[in-house]
């Protein structure tokens, strides 16, 4: 069974540009979560998509957005990139509804570097 | 609001020595509890989880954790550490019925293993 896959592995952008990160969940998982892991800050919750809808959003500005496609894969878009957006972006997936917190399966992340 | 505290940012132990990583949480009710491990540049791997029942749970790689309701703690232990255990360890909590609340992660404890 394939795990959670994220692409690209690394991404280098300049300030002001836009970045798109992609995530494919485990087969049978309908919830996708995005977390930002910046140096020394642990995992900060960004977004949660479930069955195509945004279910929850963390304390991030609106330039962080995303969507979930009918096949449950997801995109995270970051507009107007700033230096402090440099981080490892982790995607996770889980079953839906009340079982969502039975545990997440994580991908290996996308390392976004802003220069 | 729910929160997770991992008091130790960095711990160094000798190979073969025992290990205990601390995790305290603040939650309205007994949550689901998790420990994840992250090797450098990688995503997070689930070590173990507590839902209910026996308060001592066994996980992968020889790890165990004990849930203590009175102390709101879920400490991770290993009797004999191997050099390959060097990594970052994250404690996480989430509500029993996920609703719209994702898992909340601590800031992590980095484990170094010396010969």
């Amino acid at each position: 069974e394939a795990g959670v896959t994220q692409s690209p592995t690394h991404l280098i952008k300049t300030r002001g540009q836009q970045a798109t990160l992609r995530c494919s969940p485990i087969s049978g998982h309908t919830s996708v979560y995005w977390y930002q892991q910046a140096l020394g800050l642990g995992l900060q919750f960004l977004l949660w998509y479930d069955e195509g809808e945004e279910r929850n959003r963390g304390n991030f500005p609106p330039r962080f957005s995303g969507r979930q496609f009918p096949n449950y894969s997801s995109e995270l878009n970051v507009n107007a990139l700033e230096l402090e957006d440099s981080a490892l972006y982790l995607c996770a997936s889980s079953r839906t509804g009340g079982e969502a917190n039975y545990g997440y399966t994580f991908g290996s992340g996308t390392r976004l570097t802003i220069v | 609001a729910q929160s997770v505290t991992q008091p130790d940012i960095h711990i160094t132990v000798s190979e073969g020595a025992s290990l205990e990583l601390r995790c305290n949480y603040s939650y309205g009710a007994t949550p689901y509890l998790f420990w994840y491990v992250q090797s450098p540049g990688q995503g997070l791997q689930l070590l173990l989880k507590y839902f209910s029942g026996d308060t001592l749970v066994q996980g992968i790689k020889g790890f165990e954790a004990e849930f203590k309701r009175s102390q709101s703690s879920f400490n991770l232990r290993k009797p004999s550490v191997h050099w390959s255990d060097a990594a970052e360890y994250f404690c996480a909590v989430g509500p029993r019925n996920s609703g719209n609340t994702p898992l909340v992660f601590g800031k992590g404890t980095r484990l170094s293993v010396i010969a």
Side-chain angles (χ1 to χ4, degrees), chain A residues 33 35 37 40-45 48 55-56 88 90 97-104 106-108, chain B residues 32 34 36 38 41-44 49 51 90 94-107:
Chain A
Y33 311 81
Y35 284 83
Q37 187 179 18
L41 295 181
L43 274 74
Q44 305 291 312
F45 169 69
W48 174 2
R55 194 156 180 182
N56 201 343
L88 181 67
L90 292 166
E99 297 182 356
N101 282 350
Y102 282 10
Y104 300 171
F106 280 84
S108 296
Chain B
Y32 289 161
F34 306 83
Y36 284 85
Q38 184 182 34
Q42 298 298 310
L44 276 68
K49 57 191 175 186
F51 288 168
F90 292 92
R96 290 177 170 270
N97 188 328
S98 59
N100 291 327
T101 306
L103 295 186
V104 175
F105 288 79
K107 292 195 183 319

Side-chain angles (χ1 to χ4, degrees), chain A:
Chain A
E1 176 186 271
V4 176
T5 57
Q6 292 187 245
S7 64
T9 305
H10 294 88
L11 190 57
I12 300 175
K13 294 284 187 178
T14 57
R15 287 174 58 188
Q17 283 189 314
Q18 185 251 356
T20 298
L21 288 62
R22 296 179 176 83
C23 173
S24 292
I26 285 177
S27 177
H29 284 187
T30 60
S31 275
V32 171
Y33 311 81
W34 289 95
Y35 284 83
Q36 182 195 66
Q37 187 179 18
L39 199 62
L41 295 181
L43 274 74
Q44 305 291 312
F45 169 69
L46 267 166
L47 288 160
W48 174 2
Y49 291 97
D50 183 42
E51 300 277 2
E53 301 289 328
E54 182 180 297
R55 194 156 180 182
N56 201 343
R57 180 184 181 84
N59 188 24
F60 280 84
R63 58 190 186 83
F64 287 84
S65 65
R67 55 180 171 165
Q68 187 177 34
F69 299 99
N71 66 353
Y72 304 115
S73 67
S74 176
E75 268 182 7
L76 173 68
N77 295 292
V78 188
N79 294 319
L81 287 164
E82 301 178 2
L83 292 176
E84 54 263 34
D85 297 333
S86 294
L88 181 67
Y89 288 83
L90 292 166
C91 172
S93 71
S94 76
R95 294 182 233 166
T96 191
E99 297 182 356
N101 282 350
Y102 282 10
Y104 300 171
T105 302
F106 280 84
S108 296
T110 293
R111 172 71 62 187
L112 176 61
T113 302
I114 312 305
V115 297

Side-chain angles (χ1 to χ4, degrees), chain B:
Chain B
Q2 55 269 28
S3 66
V4 179
T5 302
Q6 293 181 246
D8 304 304
I9 296 173
H10 183 205
I11 285 181
T12 300
V13 300
S14 299
E15 192 170 14
S18 64
L19 170 71
E20 182 168 27
L21 302 182
R22 296 182 290 164
C23 173
N24 294 96
Y25 64 89
S26 174
Y27 221 82
T30 301
Y32 289 161
L33 297 153
F34 306 83
W35 274 99
Y36 284 85
V37 61
Q38 184 182 34
S39 298
Q42 298 298 310
L44 276 68
Q45 180 185 21
L46 181 65
L47 281 176
L48 49 78
K49 57 191 175 186
Y50 173 77
F51 288 168
S52 64
D54 191 347
T55 57
L56 185 63
V57 291
Q58 302 298 320
I60 62 171
K61 305 186 181 192
F63 285 92
E64 65 179 27
E66 185 172 14
F67 167 59
K68 292 185 177 181
R69 184 191 310 271
S70 61
Q71 299 176 19
S72 296
S73 69
F74 188 56
N75 294 347
L76 182 71
R77 301 195 294 246
K78 186 169 185 178
S80 177
V81 169
H82 188 262
W83 64 266
S84 60
D85 293 325
E88 187 130 24
Y89 292 80
F90 292 92
C91 181
V93 303
R96 290 177 170 270
N97 188 328
S98 59
N100 291 327
T101 306
L103 295 186
V104 175
F105 288 79
K107 292 195 183 319
T109 297
R110 184 161 63 92
L111 174 66
S112 296
V113 181
I114 57 176

